[in-house]
Amino acid sequence: MSINNLKENSVQNPRITWEGCSVLLDINDGDRLVFARLTAGSTLKIGNKNCALRPLIGCPFGSLFQMDNGTGGPYLSRIFSVTEGNNVPEKGDCPIKDEFKDNRALVDNNTAQSLTGEDIDAMRRQGATGDDIVEALIANSATFEKKTSFSQEKYRLKKQKKYAPKVLLRRPFARSICETYFKKYPARIGFLRVDTLSLLLSMANVTAHSDVLVVDKIGGILTGAVAERLGGVPTIRDQFCGHSVNYHFLESKPHLANANWLGTGYVCNTYVGATPYPIDIVRIFNFSKEIWKRYIVL
């Protein structure tokens, strides 16, 4: 695999996204998982709306975003958690309410909601946020107050996912990548579960300073997991290791054989037969350019 087209990102803070990095977008708490590459023009389709991913560039991994409606169309706005010192109640401090309501008298005939689709579209054109639409739907529901607390929360969550979906910005690791592929495209990784992947790395004794030969027929996830365990994920504390390479790297880069690179250990990916196996999943790991220079294809 060529390394000439990779963007230099070896000095990037791994906790902060940068332009060109790969991210895992968790939409509505696991309802949908999407891999994306952050660029100035990249977009994400949520429902029937397209949102630009540019606001995600430069944000810490783990940030939470919500799709809102603006005059220029839908956009992703970051949600900041607010903690008010010691006023946050601990678990078990919430009072328990005796509830005597039930839903036996409620009939689902689609007549309880007085807010129409035209009204919602008008609110969007006026710049109403998703939360505003959800609150308006609750206020115009004739049966919301008659529901139990559980049903009310279920109703609110359902409308929030539709009109104010949330997007969690996750960093792609071996575990999250394996879990996502196993959920969406299990055949592409040979139905490999994350516990099996962990067992493979442990049984192969993949540790720092190891030189690992990998035959990867499952898209490159095994090669990426090995490189990650060897220290392939870039960190701001990386130091050059005083360990020279004795392998033959790419024919176009013969000078790399005597270089020192970030991290420890070396990965050699090979294949059986005349055609190399595709290993595109490796690109999702956000390895630095130095890690790619230690990556070998025979």
Side-chain angles (χ1 to χ4, degrees):
M1 182 179 294
S2 174
I3 62 175
N4 297 327
N5 296 329
L6 295 176
K7 186 177 181 64
E8 300 228 12
N9 57 9
S10 58
V11 297
Q12 296 291 341
N13 186 339
R15 298 181 179 88
I16 307 295
T17 62
W18 63 92
E19 186 172 358
C21 74
S22 297
V23 296
L24 175 59
L25 302 178
D26 187 336
I27 304 173
N28 284 332
D29 196 20
D31 284 356
R32 182 183 169 202
L33 298 172
V34 180
F35 289 111
R37 187 169 294 275
L38 298 185
T39 61
S42 57
T43 59
L44 172 67
K45 189 171 184 179
I46 304 177
N48 58 352
K49 306 292 184 180
N50 285 324
C51 295
L53 296 181
R54 187 181 183 89
L56 277 62
I57 300 177
C59 295
F61 285 103
S63 301
L64 185 63
F65 294 82
Q66 179 174 298
M67 188 181 76
D68 286 327
N69 301 296
T71 55
Y75 65 96
L76 291 174
S77 61
R78 186 176 173 188
I79 301 175
F80 294 90
S81 59
V82 179
T83 304
E84 299 180 358
N86 297 325
N87 295 328
V88 179
E90 296 181 358
K91 293 182 179 180
D93 292 342
C94 298
I96 300 176
K97 299 180 180 180
D98 291 332
E99 190 171 20
F100 301 99
K101 295 186 295 183
D102 57 53
N103 300 329
R104 287 179 294 180
L106 301 181
V107 180
D108 188 8
N109 53 9
N110 294 326
T111 60
Q113 183 56 248
S114 60
L115 201 66
T116 64
E118 290 76 10
D119 297 333
I120 295 176
D121 292 337
M123 293 179 63
R124 285 172 170 168
R125 288 193 295 269
Q126 295 173 3
T129 63
D131 290 334
D132 295 336
I133 295 176
V134 173
E135 293 301 325
L137 288 170
I138 293 175
N140 288 273
S141 175
T143 59
F144 182 81
E145 294 298 332
K146 301 177 183 179
K147 296 178 182 287
T148 63
S149 299
F150 176 80
S151 297
Q152 289 179 354
E153 185 63 26
K154 184 178 179 181
Y155 179 87
R156 184 187 298 273
L157 182 61
K158 180 181 178 180
K159 298 304 180 183
Q160 178 266 316
K161 288 184 176 182
K162 182 176 181 180
Y163 296 102
K166 290 181 171 56
V167 179
L168 178 62
L169 180 61
R170 297 176 58 185
R171 179 179 174 180
F173 282 107
R175 174 168 183 162
S176 59
I177 295 173
C178 185
E179 289 176 340
T180 302
Y181 266 89
F182 187 79
K183 181 179 180 180
K184 296 181 61 177
Y185 316 108
R188 297 186 184 180
I189 60 171
F191 298 90
L192 180 69
R193 299 198 313 262
V194 65
D195 57 330
T196 307
L197 177 60
S198 302
L199 183 62
L200 281 173
L201 298 177
S202 298
M203 296 296 292
N205 196 27
V206 179
T207 58
H209 302 286
S210 299
D211 298 331
V212 185
L213 179 67
V214 182
V215 179
D216 192 335
K217 301 173 65 175
I218 51 177
I221 188 171
L222 183 57
T223 303
V226 170
E228 180 182 285
R229 176 166 287 202
L230 294 179
V233 177
T235 66
I236 55 179
R237 300 177 183 176
D238 279 339
Q239 301 291 332
F240 283 98
C241 60
H243 186 69
S244 61
V245 185
N246 296 321
Y247 295 103
H248 174 66
F249 279 66
L250 303 176
E251 292 182 359
S252 60
K253 302 287 184 179
H255 62 283
L256 298 180
N258 295 322
N260 295 324
W261 306 109
L262 299 175
T264 60
Y266 301 93
V267 184
C268 177
N269 180 276
T270 185
Y271 56 92
V272 179
T275 305
Y277 308 122
I279 50 174
D280 296 334
I281 298 179
V282 178
R283 296 181 179 273
I284 304 177
F285 283 82
N286 290 327
F287 291 140
S288 64
K289 186 176 180 180
E290 286 74 15
I291 299 302
W292 282 94
K293 290 176 181 178
R294 296 194 289 109
Y295 169 74
I296 314 167
V297 179
L298 297 181

mmCIF file with all atom_site columns, all heavy atoms in Angstrom, residues 272-294:
data_model
loop_
_atom_site.group_PDB
_atom_site.id
_atom_site.type_symbol
_atom_site.label_atom_id
_atom_site.label_alt_id
_atom_site.label_comp_id
_atom_site.label_asym_id
_atom_site.label_entity_id
_atom_site.label_seq_id
_atom_site.pdbx_PDB_ins_code
_atom_site.Cartn_x
_atom_site.Cartn_y
_atom_site.Cartn_z
_atom_site.occupancy
_atom_site.B_iso_or_equiv
_atom_site.pdbx_formal_charge
_atom_site.auth_seq_id
_atom_site.auth_comp_id
_atom_site.auth_asym_id
_atom_site.auth_atom_id
_atom_site.pdbx_PDB_model_num
ATOM 1   N N   . VAL A 1 272 ? -0.847  -14.853 0.728  1.00 0.00 ? 272 VAL A N   1
ATOM 2   C CA  . VAL A 1 272 ? -0.593  -16.133 0.080  1.00 0.00 ? 272 VAL A CA  1
ATOM 3   C C   . VAL A 1 272 ? -1.220  -16.090 -1.312 1.00 0.00 ? 272 VAL A C   1
ATOM 4   O O   . VAL A 1 272 ? -2.393  -15.747 -1.455 1.00 0.00 ? 272 VAL A O   1
ATOM 5   C CB  . VAL A 1 272 ? -1.181  -17.300 0.890  1.00 0.00 ? 272 VAL A CB  1
ATOM 6   C CG1 . VAL A 1 272 ? -0.929  -18.622 0.189  1.00 0.00 ? 272 VAL A CG1 1
ATOM 7   C CG2 . VAL A 1 272 ? -0.593  -17.309 2.300  1.00 0.00 ? 272 VAL A CG2 1
ATOM 8   N N   . GLY A 1 273 ? -0.445  -16.432 -2.329 1.00 0.00 ? 273 GLY A N   1
ATOM 9   C CA  . GLY A 1 273 ? -0.963  -16.410 -3.685 1.00 0.00 ? 273 GLY A CA  1
ATOM 10  C C   . GLY A 1 273 ? -0.400  -15.255 -4.491 1.00 0.00 ? 273 GLY A C   1
ATOM 11  O O   . GLY A 1 273 ? 0.613   -14.647 -4.122 1.00 0.00 ? 273 GLY A O   1
ATOM 12  N N   . ALA A 1 274 ? -1.080  -14.943 -5.569 1.00 0.00 ? 274 ALA A N   1
ATOM 13  C CA  . ALA A 1 274 ? -0.577  -13.919 -6.480 1.00 0.00 ? 274 ALA A CA  1
ATOM 14  C C   . ALA A 1 274 ? -1.217  -12.562 -6.263 1.00 0.00 ? 274 ALA A C   1
ATOM 15  O O   . ALA A 1 274 ? -0.710  -11.554 -6.769 1.00 0.00 ? 274 ALA A O   1
ATOM 16  C CB  . ALA A 1 274 ? -0.828  -14.365 -7.933 1.00 0.00 ? 274 ALA A CB  1
ATOM 17  N N   . THR A 1 275 ? -2.309  -12.490 -5.530 1.00 0.00 ? 275 THR A N   1
ATOM 18  C CA  . THR A 1 275 ? -3.037  -11.230 -5.356 1.00 0.00 ? 275 THR A CA  1
ATOM 19  C C   . THR A 1 275 ? -3.070  -10.833 -3.893 1.00 0.00 ? 275 THR A C   1
ATOM 20  O O   . THR A 1 275 ? -3.474  -11.638 -3.040 1.00 0.00 ? 275 THR A O   1
ATOM 21  C CB  . THR A 1 275 ? -4.483  -11.367 -5.871 1.00 0.00 ? 275 THR A CB  1
ATOM 22  O OG1 . THR A 1 275 ? -4.458  -11.828 -7.227 1.00 0.00 ? 275 THR A OG1 1
ATOM 23  C CG2 . THR A 1 275 ? -5.201  -10.030 -5.805 1.00 0.00 ? 275 THR A CG2 1
ATOM 24  N N   . PRO A 1 276 ? -2.654  -9.607  -3.560 1.00 0.00 ? 276 PRO A N   1
ATOM 25  C CA  . PRO A 1 276 ? -2.722  -9.163  -2.154 1.00 0.00 ? 276 PRO A CA  1
ATOM 26  C C   . PRO A 1 276 ? -4.161  -9.048  -1.694 1.00 0.00 ? 276 PRO A C   1
ATOM 27  O O   . PRO A 1 276 ? -5.077  -8.780  -2.468 1.00 0.00 ? 276 PRO A O   1
ATOM 28  C CB  . PRO A 1 276 ? -2.039  -7.791  -2.188 1.00 0.00 ? 276 PRO A CB  1
ATOM 29  C CG  . PRO A 1 276 ? -1.273  -7.753  -3.461 1.00 0.00 ? 276 PRO A CG  1
ATOM 30  C CD  . PRO A 1 276 ? -2.015  -8.605  -4.428 1.00 0.00 ? 276 PRO A CD  1
ATOM 31  N N   . TYR A 1 277 ? -4.353  -9.233  -0.396 1.00 0.00 ? 277 TYR A N   1
ATOM 32  C CA  . TYR A 1 277 ? -5.679  -9.086  0.181  1.00 0.00 ? 277 TYR A CA  1
ATOM 33  C C   . TYR A 1 277 ? -5.953  -7.603  0.448  1.00 0.00 ? 277 TYR A C   1
ATOM 34  O O   . TYR A 1 277 ? -5.051  -6.856  0.835  1.00 0.00 ? 277 TYR A O   1
ATOM 35  C CB  . TYR A 1 277 ? -5.792  -9.864  1.485  1.00 0.00 ? 277 TYR A CB  1
ATOM 36  C CG  . TYR A 1 277 ? -5.373  -11.307 1.385  1.00 0.00 ? 277 TYR A CG  1
ATOM 37  C CD1 . TYR A 1 277 ? -4.365  -11.827 2.181  1.00 0.00 ? 277 TYR A CD1 1
ATOM 38  C CD2 . TYR A 1 277 ? -5.996  -12.160 0.467  1.00 0.00 ? 277 TYR A CD2 1
ATOM 39  C CE1 . TYR A 1 277 ? -3.978  -13.148 2.085  1.00 0.00 ? 277 TYR A CE1 1
ATOM 40  C CE2 . TYR A 1 277 ? -5.622  -13.493 0.367  1.00 0.00 ? 277 TYR A CE2 1
ATOM 41  C CZ  . TYR A 1 277 ? -4.605  -13.974 1.169  1.00 0.00 ? 277 TYR A CZ  1
ATOM 42  O OH  . TYR A 1 277 ? -4.236  -15.287 1.061  1.00 0.00 ? 277 TYR A OH  1
ATOM 43  N N   . PRO A 1 278 ? -7.181  -7.150  0.253  1.00 0.00 ? 278 PRO A N   1
ATOM 44  C CA  . PRO A 1 278 ? -7.495  -5.742  0.564  1.00 0.00 ? 278 PRO A CA  1
ATOM 45  C C   . PRO A 1 278 ? -7.410  -5.484  2.059  1.00 0.00 ? 278 PRO A C   1
ATOM 46  O O   . PRO A 1 278 ? -7.897  -6.284  2.869  1.00 0.00 ? 278 PRO A O   1
ATOM 47  C CB  . PRO A 1 278 ? -8.923  -5.574  0.039  1.00 0.00 ? 278 PRO A CB  1
ATOM 48  C CG  . PRO A 1 278 ? -9.492  -6.958  0.021  1.00 0.00 ? 278 PRO A CG  1
ATOM 49  C CD  . PRO A 1 278 ? -8.350  -7.880  -0.284 1.00 0.00 ? 278 PRO A CD  1
ATOM 50  N N   . ILE A 1 279 ? -6.810  -4.371  2.431  1.00 0.00 ? 279 ILE A N   1
ATOM 51  C CA  . ILE A 1 279 ? -6.641  -4.022  3.850  1.00 0.00 ? 279 ILE A CA  1
ATOM 52  C C   . ILE A 1 279 ? -7.015  -2.555  4.068  1.00 0.00 ? 279 ILE A C   1
ATOM 53  O O   . ILE A 1 279 ? -6.311  -1.805  4.747  1.00 0.00 ? 279 ILE A O   1
ATOM 54  C CB  . ILE A 1 279 ? -5.204  -4.296  4.325  1.00 0.00 ? 279 ILE A CB  1
ATOM 55  C CG1 . ILE A 1 279 ? -4.182  -3.676  3.374  1.00 0.00 ? 279 ILE A CG1 1
ATOM 56  C CG2 . ILE A 1 279 ? -4.941  -5.778  4.475  1.00 0.00 ? 279 ILE A CG2 1
ATOM 57  C CD1 . ILE A 1 279 ? -2.768  -3.786  3.868  1.00 0.00 ? 279 ILE A CD1 1
ATOM 58  N N   . ASP A 1 280 ? -8.126  -2.135  3.496  1.00 0.00 ? 280 ASP A N   1
ATOM 59  C CA  . ASP A 1 280 ? -8.532  -0.736  3.577  1.00 0.00 ? 280 ASP A CA  1
ATOM 60  C C   . ASP A 1 280 ? -8.901  -0.304  4.989  1.00 0.00 ? 280 ASP A C   1
ATOM 61  O O   . ASP A 1 280 ? -8.875  0.893   5.297  1.00 0.00 ? 280 ASP A O   1
ATOM 62  C CB  . ASP A 1 280 ? -9.726  -0.492  2.648  1.00 0.00 ? 280 ASP A CB  1
ATOM 63  C CG  . ASP A 1 280 ? -9.369  -0.702  1.179  1.00 0.00 ? 280 ASP A CG  1
ATOM 64  O OD1 . ASP A 1 280 ? -8.182  -0.539  0.839  1.00 0.00 ? 280 ASP A OD1 1
ATOM 65  O OD2 . ASP A 1 280 ? -10.269 -1.052  0.385  1.00 0.00 ? 280 ASP A OD2 1
ATOM 66  N N   . ILE A 1 281 ? -9.271  -1.237  5.858  1.00 0.00 ? 281 ILE A N   1
ATOM 67  C CA  . ILE A 1 281 ? -9.675  -0.873  7.221  1.00 0.00 ? 281 ILE A CA  1
ATOM 68  C C   . ILE A 1 281 ? -8.516  -0.243  7.996  1.00 0.00 ? 281 ILE A C   1
ATOM 69  O O   . ILE A 1 281 ? -8.741  0.538   8.925  1.00 0.00 ? 281 ILE A O   1
ATOM 70  C CB  . ILE A 1 281 ? -10.223 -2.108  7.956  1.00 0.00 ? 281 ILE A CB  1
ATOM 71  C CG1 . ILE A 1 281 ? -11.472 -2.641  7.232  1.00 0.00 ? 281 ILE A CG1 1
ATOM 72  C CG2 . ILE A 1 281 ? -10.572 -1.800  9.404  1.00 0.00 ? 281 ILE A CG2 1
ATOM 73  C CD1 . ILE A 1 281 ? -12.068 -3.882  7.866  1.00 0.00 ? 281 ILE A CD1 1
ATOM 74  N N   . VAL A 1 282 ? -7.287  -0.535  7.599  1.00 0.00 ? 282 VAL A N   1
ATOM 75  C CA  . VAL A 1 282 ? -6.131  0.022   8.311  1.00 0.00 ? 282 VAL A CA  1
ATOM 76  C C   . VAL A 1 282 ? -6.158  1.545   8.292  1.00 0.00 ? 282 VAL A C   1
ATOM 77  O O   . VAL A 1 282 ? -5.711  2.200   9.230  1.00 0.00 ? 282 VAL A O   1
ATOM 78  C CB  . VAL A 1 282 ? -4.824  -0.507  7.691  1.00 0.00 ? 282 VAL A CB  1
ATOM 79  C CG1 . VAL A 1 282 ? -3.617  0.098   8.368  1.00 0.00 ? 282 VAL A CG1 1
ATOM 80  C CG2 . VAL A 1 282 ? -4.767  -2.020  7.798  1.00 0.00 ? 282 VAL A CG2 1
ATOM 81  N N   . ARG A 1 283 ? -6.705  2.124   7.231  1.00 0.00 ? 283 ARG A N   1
ATOM 82  C CA  . ARG A 1 283 ? -6.712  3.577   7.112  1.00 0.00 ? 283 ARG A CA  1
ATOM 83  C C   . ARG A 1 283 ? -7.613  4.241   8.158  1.00 0.00 ? 283 ARG A C   1
ATOM 84  O O   . ARG A 1 283 ? -7.475  5.434   8.417  1.00 0.00 ? 283 ARG A O   1
ATOM 85  C CB  . ARG A 1 283 ? -7.179  3.980   5.714  1.00 0.00 ? 283 ARG A CB  1
ATOM 86  C CG  . ARG A 1 283 ? -6.241  3.526   4.598  1.00 0.00 ? 283 ARG A CG  1
ATOM 87  C CD  . ARG A 1 283 ? -6.745  3.988   3.243  1.00 0.00 ? 283 ARG A CD  1
ATOM 88  N NE  . ARG A 1 283 ? -5.828  3.582   2.189  1.00 0.00 ? 283 ARG A NE  1
ATOM 89  C CZ  . ARG A 1 283 ? -4.774  4.282   1.803  1.00 0.00 ? 283 ARG A CZ  1
ATOM 90  N NH1 . ARG A 1 283 ? -4.498  5.418   2.416  1.00 0.00 ? 283 ARG A NH1 1
ATOM 91  N NH2 . ARG A 1 283 ? -3.982  3.861   0.838  1.00 0.00 ? 283 ARG A NH2 1
ATOM 92  N N   . ILE A 1 284 ? -8.534  3.508   8.750  1.00 0.00 ? 284 ILE A N   1
ATOM 93  C CA  . ILE A 1 284 ? -9.444  4.091   9.732  1.00 0.00 ? 284 ILE A CA  1
ATOM 94  C C   . ILE A 1 284 ? -8.738  4.349   11.062 1.00 0.00 ? 284 ILE A C   1
ATOM 95  O O   . ILE A 1 284 ? -9.203  5.157   11.871 1.00 0.00 ? 284 ILE A O   1
ATOM 96  C CB  . ILE A 1 284 ? -10.667 3.165   9.936  1.00 0.00 ? 284 ILE A CB  1
ATOM 97  C CG1 . ILE A 1 284 ? -11.356 2.899   8.596  1.00 0.00 ? 284 ILE A CG1 1
ATOM 98  C CG2 . ILE A 1 284 ? -11.664 3.757   10.906 1.00 0.00 ? 284 ILE A CG2 1
ATOM 99  C CD1 . ILE A 1 284 ? -12.534 1.940   8.697  1.00 0.00 ? 284 ILE A CD1 1
ATOM 100 N N   . PHE A 1 285 ? -7.590  3.716   11.301 1.00 0.00 ? 285 PHE A N   1
ATOM 101 C CA  . PHE A 1 285 ? -6.916  3.806   12.597 1.00 0.00 ? 285 PHE A CA  1
ATOM 102 C C   . PHE A 1 285 ? -6.199  5.134   12.828 1.00 0.00 ? 285 PHE A C   1
ATOM 103 O O   . PHE A 1 285 ? -5.687  5.377   13.914 1.00 0.00 ? 285 PHE A O   1
ATOM 104 C CB  . PHE A 1 285 ? -5.901  2.668   12.732 1.00 0.00 ? 285 PHE A CB  1
ATOM 105 C CG  . PHE A 1 285 ? -6.519  1.331   13.057 1.00 0.00 ? 285 PHE A CG  1
ATOM 106 C CD1 . PHE A 1 285 ? -7.070  0.545   12.064 1.00 0.00 ? 285 PHE A CD1 1
ATOM 107 C CD2 . PHE A 1 285 ? -6.543  0.853   14.353 1.00 0.00 ? 285 PHE A CD2 1
ATOM 108 C CE1 . PHE A 1 285 ? -7.627  -0.687  12.341 1.00 0.00 ? 285 PHE A CE1 1
ATOM 109 C CE2 . PHE A 1 285 ? -7.106  -0.380  14.654 1.00 0.00 ? 285 PHE A CE2 1
ATOM 110 C CZ  . PHE A 1 285 ? -7.655  -1.148  13.647 1.00 0.00 ? 285 PHE A CZ  1
ATOM 111 N N   . ASN A 1 286 ? -6.092  5.981   11.818 1.00 0.00 ? 286 ASN A N   1
ATOM 112 C CA  . ASN A 1 286 ? -5.417  7.277   11.958 1.00 0.00 ? 286 ASN A CA  1
ATOM 113 C C   . ASN A 1 286 ? -3.949  7.137   12.362 1.00 0.00 ? 286 ASN A C   1
ATOM 114 O O   . ASN A 1 286 ? -3.442  7.884   13.202 1.00 0.00 ? 286 ASN A O   1
ATOM 115 C CB  . ASN A 1 286 ? -6.139  8.167   12.989 1.00 0.00 ? 286 ASN A CB  1
ATOM 116 C CG  . ASN A 1 286 ? -7.481  8.644   12.500 1.00 0.00 ? 286 ASN A CG  1
ATOM 117 O OD1 . ASN A 1 286 ? -7.673  8.881   11.305 1.00 0.00 ? 286 ASN A OD1 1
ATOM 118 N ND2 . ASN A 1 286 ? -8.426  8.773   13.408 1.00 0.00 ? 286 ASN A ND2 1
ATOM 119 N N   . PHE A 1 287 ? -3.249  6.158   11.783 1.00 0.00 ? 287 PHE A N   1
ATOM 120 C CA  . PHE A 1 287 ? -1.839  6.003   12.084 1.00 0.00 ? 287 PHE A CA  1
ATOM 121 C C   . PHE A 1 287 ? -1.045  7.159   11.498 1.00 0.00 ? 287 PHE A C   1
ATOM 122 O O   . PHE A 1 287 ? -1.373  7.679   10.434 1.00 0.00 ? 287 PHE A O   1
ATOM 123 C CB  . PHE A 1 287 ? -1.310  4.677   11.523 1.00 0.00 ? 287 PHE A CB  1
ATOM 124 C CG  . PHE A 1 287 ? -1.850  3.465   12.220 1.00 0.00 ? 287 PHE A CG  1
ATOM 125 C CD1 . PHE A 1 287 ? -2.206  2.333   11.503 1.00 0.00 ? 287 PHE A CD1 1
ATOM 126 C CD2 . PHE A 1 287 ? -1.999  3.443   13.593 1.00 0.00 ? 287 PHE A CD2 1
ATOM 127 C CE1 . PHE A 1 287 ? -2.709  1.213   12.135 1.00 0.00 ? 287 PHE A CE1 1
ATOM 128 C CE2 . PHE A 1 287 ? -2.502  2.333   14.242 1.00 0.00 ? 287 PHE A CE2 1
ATOM 129 C CZ  . PHE A 1 287 ? -2.856  1.213   13.517 1.00 0.00 ? 287 PHE A CZ  1
ATOM 130 N N   . SER A 1 288 ? 0.009   7.527   12.188 1.00 0.00 ? 288 SER A N   1
ATOM 131 C CA  . SER A 1 288 ? 0.861   8.613   11.710 1.00 0.00 ? 288 SER A CA  1
ATOM 132 C C   . SER A 1 288 ? 1.685   8.149   10.512 1.00 0.00 ? 288 SER A C   1
ATOM 133 O O   . SER A 1 288 ? 1.781   6.959   10.208 1.00 0.00 ? 288 SER A O   1
ATOM 134 C CB  . SER A 1 288 ? 1.800   9.067   12.840 1.00 0.00 ? 288 SER A CB  1
ATOM 135 O OG  . SER A 1 288 ? 2.674   8.008   13.193 1.00 0.00 ? 288 SER A OG  1
ATOM 136 N N   . LYS A 1 289 ? 2.287   9.100   9.829  1.00 0.00 ? 289 LYS A N   1
ATOM 137 C CA  . LYS A 1 289 ? 3.088   8.776   8.661  1.00 0.00 ? 289 LYS A CA  1
ATOM 138 C C   . LYS A 1 289 ? 4.272   7.896   9.039  1.00 0.00 ? 289 LYS A C   1
ATOM 139 O O   . LYS A 1 289 ? 4.681   7.024   8.272  1.00 0.00 ? 289 LYS A O   1
ATOM 140 C CB  . LYS A 1 289 ? 3.583   10.062  7.995  1.00 0.00 ? 289 LYS A CB  1
ATOM 141 C CG  . LYS A 1 289 ? 4.311   9.826   6.687  1.00 0.00 ? 289 LYS A CG  1
ATOM 142 C CD  . LYS A 1 289 ? 4.690   11.136  6.029  1.00 0.00 ? 289 LYS A CD  1
ATOM 143 C CE  . LYS A 1 289 ? 5.422   10.885  4.714  1.00 0.00 ? 289 LYS A CE  1
ATOM 144 N NZ  . LYS A 1 289 ? 5.787   12.145  4.061  1.00 0.00 ? 289 LYS A NZ  1
ATOM 145 N N   . GLU A 1 290 ? 4.819   8.105   10.235 1.00 0.00 ? 290 GLU A N   1
ATOM 146 C CA  . GLU A 1 290 ? 5.949   7.288   10.672 1.00 0.00 ? 290 GLU A CA  1
ATOM 147 C C   . GLU A 1 290 ? 5.546   5.840   10.857 1.00 0.00 ? 290 GLU A C   1
ATOM 148 O O   . GLU A 1 290 ? 6.324   4.925   10.586 1.00 0.00 ? 290 GLU A O   1
ATOM 149 C CB  . GLU A 1 290 ? 6.525   7.845   11.982 1.00 0.00 ? 290 GLU A CB  1
ATOM 150 C CG  . GLU A 1 290 ? 7.330   9.124   11.826 1.00 0.00 ? 290 GLU A CG  1
ATOM 151 C CD  . GLU A 1 290 ? 6.446   10.327  11.574 1.00 0.00 ? 290 GLU A CD  1
ATOM 152 O OE1 . GLU A 1 290 ? 5.225   10.208  11.802 1.00 0.00 ? 290 GLU A OE1 1
ATOM 153 O OE2 . GLU A 1 290 ? 6.957   11.375  11.157 1.00 0.00 ? 290 GLU A OE2 1
ATOM 154 N N   . ILE A 1 291 ? 4.320   5.618   11.319 1.00 0.00 ? 291 ILE A N   1
ATOM 155 C CA  . ILE A 1 291 ? 3.847   4.245   11.472 1.00 0.00 ? 291 ILE A CA  1
ATOM 156 C C   . ILE A 1 291 ? 3.702   3.586   10.112 1.00 0.00 ? 291 ILE A C   1
ATOM 157 O O   . ILE A 1 291 ? 4.041   2.411   9.932  1.00 0.00 ? 291 ILE A O   1
ATOM 158 C CB  . ILE A 1 291 ? 2.511   4.229   12.235 1.00 0.00 ? 291 ILE A CB  1
ATOM 159 C CG1 . ILE A 1 291 ? 2.687   4.838   13.637 1.00 0.00 ? 291 ILE A CG1 1
ATOM 160 C CG2 . ILE A 1 291 ? 1.970   2.806   12.351 1.00 0.00 ? 291 ILE A CG2 1
ATOM 161 C CD1 . ILE A 1 291 ? 3.726   4.148   14.480 1.00 0.00 ? 291 ILE A CD1 1
ATOM 162 N N   . TRP A 1 292 ? 3.229   4.325   9.134  1.00 0.00 ? 292 TRP A N   1
ATOM 163 C CA  . TRP A 1 292 ? 3.087   3.758   7.793  1.00 0.00 ? 292 TRP A CA  1
ATOM 164 C C   . TRP A 1 292 ? 4.449   3.435   7.190  1.00 0.00 ? 292 TRP A C   1
ATOM 165 O O   . TRP A 1 292 ? 4.577   2.513   6.389  1.00 0.00 ? 292 TRP A O   1
ATOM 166 C CB  . TRP A 1 292 ? 2.324   4.724   6.897  1.00 0.00 ? 292 TRP A CB  1
ATOM 167 C CG  . TRP A 1 292 ? 0.850   4.699   7.138  1.00 0.00 ? 292 TRP A CG  1
ATOM 168 C CD1 . TRP A 1 292 ? 0.141   5.514   7.971  1.00 0.00 ? 292 TRP A CD1 1
ATOM 169 C CD2 . TRP A 1 292 ? -0.091  3.806   6.565  1.00 0.00 ? 292 TRP A CD2 1
ATOM 170 N NE1 . TRP A 1 292 ? -1.186  5.186   7.944  1.00 0.00 ? 292 TRP A NE1 1
ATOM 171 C CE2 . TRP A 1 292 ? -1.364  4.147   7.084  1.00 0.00 ? 292 TRP A CE2 1
ATOM 172 C CE3 . TRP A 1 292 ? 0.012   2.756   5.652  1.00 0.00 ? 292 TRP A CE3 1
ATOM 173 C CZ2 . TRP A 1 292 ? -2.512  3.468   6.719  1.00 0.00 ? 292 TRP A CZ2 1
ATOM 174 C CZ3 . TRP A 1 292 ? -1.151  2.089   5.282  1.00 0.00 ? 292 TRP A CZ3 1
ATOM 175 C CH2 . TRP A 1 292 ? -2.388  2.440   5.822  1.00 0.00 ? 292 TRP A CH2 1
ATOM 176 N N   . LYS A 1 293 ? 5.457   4.174   7.557  1.00 0.00 ? 293 LYS A N   1
ATOM 177 C CA  . LYS A 1 293 ? 6.799   3.885   7.052  1.00 0.00 ? 293 LYS A CA  1
ATOM 178 C C   . LYS A 1 293 ? 7.364   2.608   7.664  1.00 0.00 ? 293 LYS A C   1
ATOM 179 O O   . LYS A 1 293 ? 8.309   2.025   7.131  1.00 0.00 ? 293 LYS A O   1
ATOM 180 C CB  . LYS A 1 293 ? 7.736   5.044   7.349  1.00 0.00 ? 293 LYS A CB  1
ATOM 181 C CG  . LYS A 1 293 ? 7.413   6.286   6.524  1.00 0.00 ? 293 LYS A CG  1
ATOM 182 C CD  . LYS A 1 293 ? 8.313   7.462   6.913  1.00 0.00 ? 293 LYS A CD  1
ATOM 183 C CE  . LYS A 1 293 ? 7.964   8.695   6.101  1.00 0.00 ? 293 LYS A CE  1
ATOM 184 N NZ  . LYS A 1 293 ? 8.793   9.842   6.495  1.00 0.00 ? 293 LYS A NZ  1
ATOM 185 N N   . ARG A 1 294 ? 6.801   2.174   8.778  1.00 0.00 ? 294 ARG A N   1
ATOM 186 C CA  . ARG A 1 294 ? 7.221   0.912   9.389  1.00 0.00 ? 294 ARG A CA  1
ATOM 187 C C   . ARG A 1 294 ? 6.314   -0.239  8.965  1.00 0.00 ? 294 ARG A C   1
ATOM 188 O O   . ARG A 1 294 ? 6.403   -1.335  9.492  1.00 0.00 ? 294 ARG A O   1
ATOM 189 C CB  . ARG A 1 294 ? 7.202   1.024   10.919 1.00 0.00 ? 294 ARG A CB  1
ATOM 190 C CG  . ARG A 1 294 ? 8.175   2.032   11.458 1.00 0.00 ? 294 ARG A CG  1
ATOM 191 C CD  . ARG A 1 294 ? 8.376   1.875   12.962 1.00 0.00 ? 294 ARG A CD  1
ATOM 192 N NE  . ARG A 1 294 ? 7.200   2.296   13.704 1.00 0.00 ? 294 ARG A NE  1
ATOM 193 C CZ  . ARG A 1 294 ? 6.392   1.459   14.341 1.00 0.00 ? 294 ARG A CZ  1
ATOM 194 N NH1 . ARG A 1 294 ? 6.587   0.172   14.282 1.00 0.00 ? 294 ARG A NH1 1
ATOM 195 N NH2 . ARG A 1 294 ? 5.356   1.897   15.031 1.00 0.00 ? 294 ARG A NH2 1
#
